[in-house]
Amino acid sequence: MKKNILKYACIALLPTLAINNSCNDDEIVVDRFDGSYTPEKPTKGERNNPPPVNLLDTYAFFTETSSNQSIKKKVKKNSVEIQDLENISFDIFLNKEAEKELPYSLEIDNEWLSSKGLKALPSDAYELNYNNKFELNQKQNKITINFKEEIFKTLEKGLYTLPLKPVFEDSEVKHLAGNDRFMLEVNLLIQRLPDGNNIDNSDTKTEIEGTYSNSEITFSSPNNRNNLDKLNDGNAVWYTNSGNDILIAKIPGPDEIIGIKLLTYYSNDDDSYRRYSLKQVKIESANGDDDEYVEQGVFIDSDYDQEDLYIKFSEPIEVDRIRFSDFLSHTGTREIVTIVGVEFIYAN
């Protein structure tokens, strides 16, 4: 009778809890209570229902139930590089030491994925390494997810999810609700930076279809700071003082652009404006913490006949900075080449 009283004491003390210790006749250890359970005052002649966790049962659970990774895929002309891809490890537990061997497998919870409308991480993009059974007297197993870099090089941008649940051969092993699934989320970012020859100079006059924006662009120049703060509104001009001048346009975070609109000087009536009008400029791009600029090519305007110039990239590029250099006017001079405004062009 005394033993039965202790059994129900264990049950009453551990409602829907995360367990990592056993409850023996003379030992009770509690990690966490479910605050939603409140013991009721017993009614004479009636037995209240015990909490839903019985310490005499075997429960499997994760203490760490999720992990998130952001991975960068850098696409250049002749190479693809994966950055920040790291294997992860976590543990699966039993609430008490296994009283016998308990074989199990980790399976993808496809039903849950479907119900949430999430994209599954492809099965060939990773490998699961773990001991597929709890040995006698064991209560913890390590699981490692090893990623395959070559497969990530082929994936498209997006959020990928891998929900794993343990399935035991012994049907008496129960799952602890709320801690019965490990969910991995991988956010794959793509930085497209083709290396050279990425500017289409076949038509520099026709407006590129897309969304134009300059409200978030900030401008800098290591050696020529005149009117930089006015380049967003077109009310003032930035111009070169020498052939070494550089103009940098930066946005707050990486984004994909398909082109750039430049506004330069032009006049129907005064041919002297040719010396101010942009004919040619080198375009380089960079992304994130990487200070390395990658050349996209040289923009060349075909004729001196309008102020709006459109730089179209053959392939979209993922950038947060554009660097303009080697400015040249329609008269072949490098001084006083004038820029009135800059806009980035995004796909609709």
Side-chain angles (χ1 to χ4, degrees), residues 35-307:
S36 65
Y37 178 78
T38 304
E40 298 179 3
K41 183 178 179 180
T43 302
K44 185 177 180 180
E46 296 182 6
R47 176 183 293 177
N48 293 333
N49 291 328
V53 171
N54 186 337
L55 291 181
L56 299 182
D57 293 333
T58 299
Y59 285 85
F61 60 95
F62 300 104
T63 55
E64 180 185 1
T65 57
S66 65
S67 178
N68 302 283
Q69 283 207 36
S70 288
I71 299 167
K72 184 184 294 183
K73 173 181 172 181
K74 296 183 70 172
V75 181
K76 297 185 179 182
K77 183 179 180 181
N78 297 314
S79 66
V80 176
E81 178 185 345
I82 297 294
Q83 295 182 338
D84 304 322
L85 183 63
E86 296 182 359
N87 299 332
I88 66 167
S89 295
F90 53 98
D91 294 290
I92 184 172
F93 296 88
L94 298 178
N95 63 308
K96 59 182 180 179
E97 294 179 353
E99 298 172 354
K100 59 181 178 179
E101 282 191 357
L102 294 174
Y104 71 99
S105 61
L106 289 173
E107 298 185 1
I108 301 172
D109 195 342
N110 288 308
E111 183 178 345
W112 183 86
L113 268 178
S114 179
S115 68
K116 301 294 184 181
L118 298 173
K119 184 190 299 185
L121 182 66
S123 59
D124 58 351
Y126 63 91
E127 183 178 68
L128 293 175
N129 288 327
Y130 63 98
N131 183 3
N132 63 354
K133 63 183 176 181
F134 280 90
E135 307 286 354
L136 179 65
N137 298 326
Q138 186 181 10
K139 60 183 298 185
Q140 179 178 350
N141 260 342
K142 182 172 291 296
I143 300 164
T144 300
I145 302 178
N146 294 318
F147 296 112
K148 298 181 180 179
E149 183 174 318
E150 292 304 312
I151 302 300
F152 274 87
K153 290 180 179 180
T154 68
L155 298 182
E156 295 299 318
K157 176 181 178 180
L159 181 66
Y160 296 88
T161 305
L162 176 62
L164 296 172
K165 61 179 182 180
V167 177
F168 283 81
E169 292 183 8
D170 189 335
S171 61
E172 292 186 359
V173 178
K174 303 181 184 302
H175 295 95
L176 191 64
N179 293 72
D180 56 347
R181 182 191 304 112
F182 179 87
M183 185 178 69
L184 170 69
E185 286 187 336
V186 178
N187 187 21
L188 181 61
L189 306 173
I190 297 184
Q191 177 184 338
R192 300 185 187 277
L193 287 178
D195 192 356
N197 300 319
N198 193 39
I199 294 178
D200 182 358
N201 287 316
S202 62
D203 184 358
T204 62
K205 311 295 187 182
T206 303
E207 182 173 334
I208 299 171
E209 183 178 347
T211 300
Y212 290 66
S213 177
N214 65 4
S215 60
E216 292 190 320
I217 301 177
T218 56
F219 297 93
S220 63
S221 177
N223 50 358
N224 187 354
R225 296 177 175 84
N226 66 81
N227 292 328
L228 286 172
D229 58 333
K230 300 294 185 181
L231 282 171
N232 299 86
D233 55 24
N235 292 330
V237 300
W238 179 90
Y239 54 86
T240 60
N241 288 323
S242 72
N244 297 322
D245 282 352
I246 290 171
L247 178 64
I248 297 171
K250 179 174 173 51
I251 54 177
D255 209 340
E256 187 175 89
I257 64 174
I258 60 175
I260 303 170
K261 178 184 177 181
L262 294 180
L263 186 62
T264 188
Y265 264 1
Y266 169 76
S267 173
N268 278 325
D269 306 320
D270 190 346
D271 200 51
S272 68
Y273 271 62
R274 283 178 175 268
R275 66 174 299 195
Y276 311 117
S277 182
L278 176 70
K279 176 178 177 62
Q280 181 175 307
V281 65
K282 183 168 76 172
I283 307 294
E284 298 169 293
S285 61
N287 193 331
D289 297 330
D290 191 351
D291 290 330
E292 177 188 1
Y293 280 88
V294 179
E295 182 176 349
Q296 298 303 302
V298 176
F299 168 79
I300 303 175
D301 185 27
S302 54
D303 298 299
Y304 171 71
D305 55 9
Q306 70 180 48
E307 61 186 10

